[in-house]
Amino acid sequence: MRTIPPLRSDLEIEEDRSRPDVPFVLTDVGLSRRIRLDEIGALVAEHLDRPQTVEELASRLETKASNLERPLAFFEAYHLLETEQTRQMVTEAEATVQMGAMDPQTVPLLIRDDARFTCTMCGSCCGGTNIGPVSESVMDGLKPHLGVLEKKMKATSGLFFTVPGGSGGQSYTLCRQKGGSCVFLEPNNRCAIHADYGAAAKPDDCRLFPWMFTATPDGVAVSIQMECRGFPEARNGKKLIEQEDDIRKMLALAHTRSQLPPILTVTGHLTMTYKAYSEMETELHELADKLSGDPLAALIGMRDAIFRVTDLESDTSVSRKEGLKNLLVRVITTLRTNVDEIHQNLVSNDPRLELHTDTLELVSLALETLLTDIERVFAPLERRAKREIFAQKVHQFLMQKELLTFGSLIDGYVHLVFQWLLSRALAIGRAREMKRR
């Protein structure tokens, strides 16, 4: 006979009749959630006060054991019972919260030994978006210099503007653009604020980019956002482990640190502990290095590792090149239709509003290339620089714990595959366009 563990002792159940169909609320502080229970769920929870068989529980509730299958499956799937795996998950979730709040000068930093980055000052991070929000402290520091900066940057419309945000009536201050880039970007690709008043005078977002900090049970993982267009050159810079003092200063600037979700979902109700995930991630890093010359083989190897570690049943057809190609063609065809519709609907009759659709056009080009030249997108990488870029893409994605932030590990893996194929297709498409000119 199967023994049912008791309900976790750290859970609290309170009555809340605001929703008559589920009039009880279970508060799970350890895993940061609140779960609604119906009358039956609350009654079962009340009697899960000790280890017992299903038959014993059914006898206490004066019902058939078969009637308890669904509520017990619910309590198990949502990790509400006192099991070894659940205790470890709660311990890891609490450790993640502690690491997220720990002093930037003493918190353990998780940095890859081979990670390098030195800003090339290419200025690309200053273009394409309105930078912000700009904090009140930064605005206060710049107030004495605004007149000088406006003249220097020839900002006839001003340097900043505010937009409403949130339900509390608050607003956010953003930097204006000029010529598609930040109003403070000078012709030499240098920031006017930085040049005249030092790095500390810049908005925090400017100082932090492209650093990323993710709290885990073991410490704060340090990574670089691949959106940095200067990354191909910057990745050859100084080792991150030699920049610890500067990194800790950046960490102190980060008002919030990304954190792992308290429950690491593989897919559906299948979960795993961070310890198991961390061991698997090490294998994924190794695959990225070992098979960097053949990204398709590396990505398929990563998929196989994920399925093996999580005990998922793998559809062997997906691992074949043709199977993956057919799947991509179906997805891309739908995406192209959606992108084209968005592009057609982006029309403004307001002369004050300037719409930029460059990014959508690049996405369309990448999708078109994936459909028409998929063999080349799938082909192994001959140049060493391209192989290193692929490996770094995977390393940074994993260090940012992106596999775990898309709802499930499987969804995260799909995003990784699609991001790489789309960026590779865009590079091929742009190269083809340049040859035509």
Side-chain angles (χ1 to χ4, degrees), residues 3-14 25-28 33 35 37 40-52 57 60 71-72 74-83 86-87 90:
T3 299
I4 309 165
L7 196 72
R8 284 169 40 206
S9 59
D10 60 327
L11 303 178
E12 295 183 1
I13 300 177
E14 296 178 334
V25 175
L26 182 151
T27 302
D28 183 356
R33 56 186 176 164
I35 301 173
L37 299 176
I40 295 176
L43 183 62
V44 171
E46 181 183 351
H47 287 77
L48 289 172
D49 52 356
R50 61 176 185 264
Q52 58 196 303
L57 179 60
R60 293 176 65 194
L72 288 178
F74 170 84
F75 282 104
E76 290 175 345
Y78 281 82
H79 303 285
L80 301 174
L81 302 181
E82 194 69 59
T83 66
T86 298
R87 283 194 296 273
V90 171

Side-chain angles (χ1 to χ4, degrees), residues 115-258:
R116 295 173 176 268
F117 183 82
T118 298
C119 179
T120 62
M121 298 185 182
C122 66
S124 63
C125 58
C126 305
T129 61
N130 291 102
I131 295 170
V134 183
S135 67
E136 289 186 17
S137 61
V138 169
M139 289 299 298
D140 289 341
L142 289 175
K143 272 184 182 178
H145 314 296
L146 292 181
V148 174
L149 285 169
E150 285 180 1
K151 290 181 181 179
K152 180 177 182 178
M153 307 316 300
K154 299 178 181 178
T156 55
S157 299
L159 300 169
F160 302 96
F161 67 102
T162 58
V163 294
S167 57
Q170 67 266 40
S171 61
Y172 298 108
T173 300
L174 305 175
C175 299
R176 288 191 179 277
Q177 284 195 13
K178 186 177 179 181
S181 296
C182 176
V183 68
F184 294 107
L185 187 65
E186 298 189 277
N188 61 358
N189 285 337
R190 301 295 188 267
C191 171
I193 297 177
H194 191 151
D196 294 346
Y197 308 108
K202 294 193 299 184
D204 292 346
D205 283 1
C206 302
R207 299 178 63 188
L208 282 169
F209 186 84
W211 299 98
M212 277 203 66
F213 305 104
T214 307
T216 78
D218 298 332
V220 173
V222 180
S223 56
I224 302 295
Q225 298 177 62
M226 294 288 284
E227 287 82 359
C228 171
R229 297 178 193 175
F231 187 80
E233 293 76 33
R235 67 187 173 85
N236 296 316
K238 191 176 180 181
K239 282 191 172 185
L240 299 195
I241 55 176
E242 297 173 1
Q243 303 181 54
E244 182 174 331
D245 289 344
D246 290 334
I247 289 173
R248 290 190 181 279
K249 291 177 183 177
M250 293 298 103
L251 181 58
L253 275 179
H255 301 296
T256 58
R257 304 170 192 172
S258 299

